[in-house]
Amino acid sequence: MSKTNANPELSAAVRYWPEGEAWFKDRIPRDFPWGDESLLEEVPESAKGSYGARIGEPVQLDGVRYAQGDIVVVGSREEFETLLSRIDEVEALIFPWYDRLVPPSLWIPHRRRVELRAYRQDLQARFWKALLITVGLVTLGFFQPSFLMLALLGATIYGLFPLVEVSMAWFRRVDRYTVDDLNRRLVNNEFFRRWMVSRPAGKLKIALALLILVFVGQWTVGLVPSIERAALVKSAVIEDGEWWRTVTTGLMHGNLVHILFNGMALYSLGRVIVALVSPSLMSIVFLFTVVTGSLASLWLGQGQASVGASGGILGCLGFLLVVTERFKGALPGYLRESCIQATIVIAIFGLLGNQFIDNAAHGGGFLGGILLGAVFFPGLSLASRTPKAAVRLLSWISLAVLAAGAAKIGFELWKIEIG
């Protein structure tokens, strides 16, 4: 028994794939590193030459139970349409004349230009929803100071980010894009996304594991004494000359939420830097901007101790702003917009949470990232796998300094444990 399809895109997709055609093949950005058709998964041998779909949810068809990820094939276009009418969630489509699994974003091409009024009406509804969430959570935080940090984090994720995104999108003249522009952007974005997630990130995962290991050590001996012993305590640096704290503070964190959000942010930004320019630059950017953030905190920040990788994370963001400017003709536009959006949101978050956020360290790291990006700007190459010898040397020095900083933290924590 068939049913009405809950996903009209499935039925529409069949109509937009005439026999023997793959509408996006000529729009694949083959001049860029991600312009590789092999980024789309190959159709399994057993399904080649058939119509079919990879199931996105457990479903029972004609007495056979299929799990999510299973592939169902049929022999004709009519059977294909019937099959799709019986499935609500599909991960990919299969056509007999195309040997790659077709992801949802590439099922249906744009057929008409964007109507600006309808586009902005949709944005307006999202704007008021995001504004309501932001105001509600911020108000809750200030009336309940014990929940201020969590309330601001929630407001940032569910309110400020969509609020700034919608506000920026309002000024985008999407009505000026031709249909071909829209389709080329669609294809470029999909292939770029797939290329990004395919890039190796093993070294970045090792770095995050090191941060977690340091935090576990802090937790073991006590977060407060560990911060006093090895983080950016202003008097210890300025009066006692313990300048090594400008590095070690970037490897430590104040609580579980702190390392959780910083870890996710560092991994997200780090993956982009590693993919777009060079893995070697990541360690240089992080170390340099941790230090510039620490120096800004020393001379412009408040008197209490400062701790966390935020200076380095903001440094990565500033560096990425320069990188996206350098390659703006190739990269999807949303990537640069996301960097700008994150910069605005973090600035607002810093103002609202200045009681517990070291804005001087954030600003120092961010400006340090922009400065470093400007220095490397002329020599940046897109997706370079063979950095210059000087960059490799600086990378090894940076890694050695960071490793020494982790060892110093370990030594200081050991002294707390035995003392």
Side-chain angles (χ1 to χ4, degrees):
M1 179 182 293
S2 64
K3 65 177 182 178
T4 301
N5 202 312
N7 186 351
E9 286 192 345
L10 288 171
S11 298
V14 181
R15 297 197 304 271
Y16 289 129
W17 280 72
E19 190 80 21
E21 293 185 17
W23 69 268
F24 57 82
K25 285 195 70 172
D26 293 338
R27 295 179 174 88
I28 296 173
R30 302 185 189 278
D31 292 336
F32 303 145
W34 50 91
D36 185 352
E37 203 167 355
S38 67
L39 289 169
L40 300 179
E41 296 178 63
E42 190 172 0
V43 174
E45 198 65 37
S46 60
K48 287 184 177 179
S50 304
Y51 288 97
R54 186 162 71 184
I55 306 300
E57 62 176 353
V59 65
Q60 187 164 327
L61 300 171
D62 300 324
V64 180
R65 187 72 177 173
Y66 294 95
Q68 180 179 354
D70 286 349
I71 288 179
V72 183
V73 297
V74 293
S76 70
R77 196 177 188 95
E78 291 73 21
E79 291 176 319
F80 188 37
E81 293 190 38
T82 301
L83 170 67
L84 296 182
S85 72
R86 301 172 65 188
I87 306 171
D88 293 333
E89 298 291 336
V90 173
E91 293 181 350
L93 297 179
I94 299 171
F95 296 91
W97 57 85
Y98 190 62
D99 62 356
R100 301 283 168 180
L101 294 173
V102 183
S105 69
L106 300 179
W107 289 349
I108 306 173
H110 290 280
R111 294 292 180 175
R112 60 179 62 89
R113 298 174 73 157
V114 178
E115 205 281 308
L116 186 61
R117 183 177 179 181
Y119 171 77
R120 285 183 170 175
Q121 283 178 340
D122 176 64
L123 291 178
Q124 191 173 33
R126 292 166 56 194
F127 174 87
W128 289 114
K129 179 181 177 181
L131 182 62
L132 182 63
I133 292 173
T134 302
V135 172
L137 287 174
V138 169
T139 302
L140 173 65
F142 281 102
F143 274 99
Q144 296 290 333
S146 58
F147 294 103
L148 179 59
M149 182 176 179
L150 289 176
L152 289 183
L153 287 173
T156 299
I157 296 170
Y158 301 109
L160 279 176
F161 267 107
L163 188 63
V164 174
E165 178 186 12
V166 168
S167 299
M168 291 176 61
W170 180 273
F171 297 99
R172 191 181 304 136
R173 292 302 304 268
V174 293
D175 57 319
R176 294 178 179 173
Y177 297 142
T178 66
V179 172
D180 188 59
D181 289 337
L182 293 170
N183 284 323
R184 289 190 182 279
R185 288 165 66 91
L186 176 64
V187 176
N188 190 45
N189 289 358
E190 176 63 25
F191 276 82
F192 177 80
R193 184 189 66 80
R194 288 176 171 269
W195 177 75
M196 280 294 307
V197 299
S198 72
R199 298 300 87 197
K203 293 179 181 178
L204 200 55
K205 292 177 181 178
I206 293 173
L208 288 178
L210 178 62
L211 289 183
I212 294 171
L213 184 62
V214 169
F215 182 74
V216 170
Q218 289 183 253
W219 190 281
T220 301
V221 303
L223 293 174
V224 173
S226 70
I227 290 171
E228 292 175 350
R229 188 60 71 98
L232 194 69
V233 178
K234 314 297 172 57
S235 59
V237 177
I238 296 173
E239 297 172 12
D240 301 331
E242 296 179 351
W243 291 94
W244 48 267
R245 290 176 181 262
T246 59
V247 174
T248 57
T249 190
L251 305 176
M252 304 174 71
H253 290 86
N255 54 57
L256 187 60
V257 173
H258 195 197
I259 189 173
L260 177 64
F261 278 86
N262 274 1
M264 290 190 297
L266 184 61
Y267 185 73
S268 298
L269 293 171
R271 288 210 69 170
V272 182
I273 291 176
V274 166
L276 291 187
V277 282
S278 166
S280 297
L281 281 172
M282 181 60 198
S283 57
I284 300 172
V285 173
F286 183 73
L287 174 63
F288 180 77
T289 56
V290 161
V291 173
T292 59
S294 295
L295 294 177
S297 179
L298 281 173
W299 287 306
L300 300 175
Q302 301 174 1
Q304 66 265 31
S306 180
V307 64
S310 301
I313 293 168
L314 268 293
C316 291
L317 180 59
F319 186 81
L320 267 179
L321 276 172
V322 178
V323 171
T324 54
E325 174 64 24
R326 174 70 173 82
F327 302 113
K328 63 182 178 182
L331 298 174
Y334 74 81
L335 187 61
R336 180 166 179 79
E337 290 176 1
S338 295
C339 291
I340 296 172
Q341 174 190 347
T343 302
I344 295 171
V345 169
I346 292 171
I348 297 172
F349 179 73
L351 291 174
L352 294 173
N354 62 357
Q355 300 173 31
F356 53 85
I357 294 174
D358 190 340
N359 287 306
H362 283 193
F366 182 73
L367 293 176
I370 291 178
L371 174 62
L372 201 59
V375 170
F376 283 105
F377 190 92
L380 289 175
S381 298
L382 190 58
S384 172
R385 300 266 74 90
T386 54
K388 296 178 181 178
V391 173
R392 292 199 301 271
L393 177 61
L394 285 174
S395 176
W396 281 111
I397 292 173
S398 299
L399 289 171
V401 172
L402 290 169
K408 177 62 174 175
I409 294 171
F411 179 66
E412 295 298 325
L413 298 182
W414 176 73
K415 288 198 295 185
I416 294 174
E417 187 69 20
I418 66 172

